[in-house]
Amino acid sequence: MRIRGAGRIARAGASAIGEFARTYEGDSLERFLRDLDGAVATIIASRPTAVSLRNGVLSAVKGVSSASTLEEAKAMAAENAERFARSSSKAVETIAAIGAKRIKDGDTVLTHCNSSAAVGVIKGASRQGKSVKVYATETRPWRQGIVTVRELADAGIDVTLIVDSAVRSVMRSVDEVFVGADTITSDGVLINKVGTSQIALAANEARVPFYVCAETYKFSPLTLSGDTVVIEERDAAEVAKPGEIPDSVKIFNPVFDSTPGRYIDALITEEGLIPPGAVYSVMCRLWGVQTPFKE
Ligand code: RI2
């Protein structure tokens, strides 16, 4: 939890692989590849929901097993990791440029949690000289909304912090909603910070466009072969302090939830603005994904 945001988590995971390769002290290629596999598994297992972490880490080890020397393998992993970090940061900038066009001068927008992609879009519109007002949710239980309001206030943007349950009360005065993504499935379902799906429902009811700002490495190739996304559950102490409630009370603390594609107007990606129904074909185009299990 010291690293927040699915994009930053992915870059940190890829960089950890780069660091592992650069500082590896053994002298056997075989042993290095085995240890690298172990490092990959450990890092991916640290956060189960955001596929960006898996995609970032796997892009850092891409092709490494075909290296013919240890030095070549180490250099390849380190270069891959740097390339991923560069392209991932560039993707966030591209999303900001594309998404900013969806905000008109004088608009009020709403965002949830802390997404660098969504915040980038809002800041992008402000940099274009548009006057933008923002409602940012507190985002219980970790209150990442505090990070968002600080970032927006530092950029000179008019921002109002609301508790999560106030979303519907303000939705009528909102022109667009922008959220980030932890994972997007092949059938266009968004997995994002818990509370996102309620916001999407409220936006849908009020006919407010709901945009997801997401780099394409948030698309999950695992979902193509039928895997479902594991929703991380976190410690009960995040919700209530020990001793605050009777011991007999159970606490359920899921960190993410899923929003069906029918509530999403568009995904704003570095590849452009795409409808949720096009995720599968974009995945195939970018990664050459073959239909799984086809003879
Ligand atoms: P960026 C965050 O979750 C939020 O759910 C946010 O919408 C998403 O990651 C994407 O953030 P967490 O990983 O990649 O901090 O746009 O739990 O920064």
Side-chain angles (χ1 to χ4, degrees), residues 112-113 136-141 162-168 194-195 198-199:
H112 182 51
C113 194
T137 55
E138 177 192 20
T139 318
R140 279 277 291 152
I162 56 170
V163 295
D164 302 341
S165 38
V167 163
R168 193 156 175 263
V194 69
Q198 292 176 162
I199 297 173

Coordinates of all heavy atoms in Angstrom, one line a residue, residues 112-113 136-141 162-168 194-195 198-199:
H112 N -13.0 9.3 -8.7 CA -13.0 8.4 -7.5 C -11.6 7.9 -7.3 O -10.9 7.6 -8.2 CB -14.0 7.2 -7.9 CG -14.2 6.2 -6.8 ND1 -14.5 6.6 -5.5 CD2 -14.1 4.8 -6.8 CE1 -14.7 5.5 -4.8 NE2 -14.4 4.4 -5.5
C113 N -11.3 7.7 -6.0 CA -10.0 7.2 -5.6 C -8.9 8.1 -6.1 O -9.1 9.3 -6.2 CB -9.9 5.7 -6.0 SG -8.5 4.8 -5.2
A136 N -14.3 15.1 -5.8 CA -13.5 13.9 -5.6 C -14.0 13.1 -4.4 O -14.2 13.7 -3.3 CB -12.0 14.3 -5.4
T137 N -14.2 11.8 -4.6 CA -14.7 11.0 -3.4 C -13.5 10.8 -2.4 O -12.4 10.6 -2.8 CB -15.2 9.7 -3.9 OG1 -14.2 9.1 -4.7 CG2 -16.4 9.8 -4.8
E138 N -13.9 10.7 -1.2 CA -12.9 10.4 -0.1 C -12.3 9.0 -0.4 O -11.1 8.8 -0.2 CB -13.6 10.4 1.2 CG -12.7 10.0 2.4 CD -13.5 9.8 3.6 OE1 -14.8 9.5 3.5 OE2 -12.9 9.8 4.7
T139 N -13.1 8.0 -0.8 CA -12.7 6.6 -1.1 C -12.2 5.9 0.2 O -11.0 5.7 0.5 CB -11.6 6.6 -2.1 OG1 -11.9 7.5 -3.2 CG2 -11.5 5.2 -2.7
R140 N -13.2 5.5 1.0 CA -13.0 4.7 2.1 C -12.5 3.3 1.7 O -12.9 2.8 0.6 CB -14.3 4.5 2.9 CG -14.6 5.7 3.8 CD -13.9 5.6 5.2 NE -14.4 4.5 6.0 CZ -13.8 3.9 6.9 NH1 -12.5 4.2 7.1 NH2 -14.3 2.9 7.6
P141 N -11.7 2.5 2.4 CA -11.2 2.9 3.8 C -9.9 3.6 3.8 O -9.5 4.2 4.8 CB -11.1 1.6 4.5 CG -10.8 0.6 3.5 CD -11.5 1.1 2.2
I162 N -15.8 14.9 -1.3 CA -17.1 14.5 -0.8 C -16.9 13.1 -0.2 O -16.0 12.3 -0.6 CB -18.2 14.4 -1.9 CG1 -17.8 13.5 -3.1 CG2 -18.6 15.8 -2.3 CD1 -18.9 13.2 -4.1
V163 N -17.8 12.7 0.8 CA -17.7 11.3 1.2 C -18.4 10.4 0.2 O -19.2 10.9 -0.7 CB -18.5 11.1 2.6 CG1 -17.7 11.9 3.7 CG2 -19.9 11.5 2.5
D164 N -18.0 9.2 0.1 CA -18.4 8.3 -0.9 C -20.0 8.2 -1.1 O -20.5 8.2 -2.2 CB -17.9 6.9 -0.7 CG -16.4 6.8 -0.6 OD1 -15.8 7.8 -1.0 OD2 -15.8 5.9 0.0
S165 N -20.7 8.3 0.0 CA -22.1 8.2 0.0 C -22.8 9.5 -0.6 O -24.0 9.5 -0.7 CB -22.7 7.8 1.3 OG -22.0 8.4 2.3
A166 N -22.0 10.5 -0.8 CA -22.6 11.8 -1.4 C -22.6 11.8 -2.9 O -23.1 12.8 -3.5 CB -21.9 13.0 -0.8
V167 N -22.2 10.7 -3.5 CA -22.0 10.7 -5.0 C -23.4 11.1 -5.7 O -23.4 11.9 -6.5 CB -21.5 9.4 -5.5 CG1 -21.7 9.2 -7.0 CG2 -20.0 9.3 -5.2
R168 N -24.4 10.4 -5.2 CA -25.7 10.6 -6.0 C -26.3 12.0 -5.7 O -26.9 12.6 -6.6 CB -26.7 9.5 -5.5 CG -27.9 9.5 -6.4 CD -28.6 8.1 -6.4 NE -29.8 8.2 -7.2 CZ -31.0 8.4 -6.7 NH1 -31.2 8.5 -5.4 NH2 -32.1 8.5 -7.5
V194 N -13.3 -0.2 -5.1 CA -14.6 -0.4 -4.6 C -15.4 0.9 -4.6 O -14.9 1.9 -4.1 CB -14.6 -1.2 -3.3 CG1 -14.1 -0.3 -2.1 CG2 -15.9 -1.8 -3.0
G195 N -16.6 0.9 -5.0 CA -17.5 2.1 -5.1 C -17.6 2.6 -6.5 O -18.6 3.3 -6.8
Q198 N -21.1 1.7 -8.1 CA -22.2 2.6 -7.6 C -22.2 3.9 -8.3 O -23.2 4.5 -8.7 CB -22.1 2.8 -6.1 CG -22.3 1.5 -5.3 CD -22.1 1.7 -3.8 OE1 -22.6 0.9 -3.1 NE2 -21.5 2.8 -3.4
I199 N -21.0 4.4 -8.5 CA -20.9 5.7 -9.2 C -21.4 5.6 -10.7 O -22.1 6.4 -11.2 CB -19.4 6.2 -9.2 CG1 -19.0 6.5 -7.7 CG2 -19.2 7.5 -10.0 CD1 -17.5 6.8 -7.5

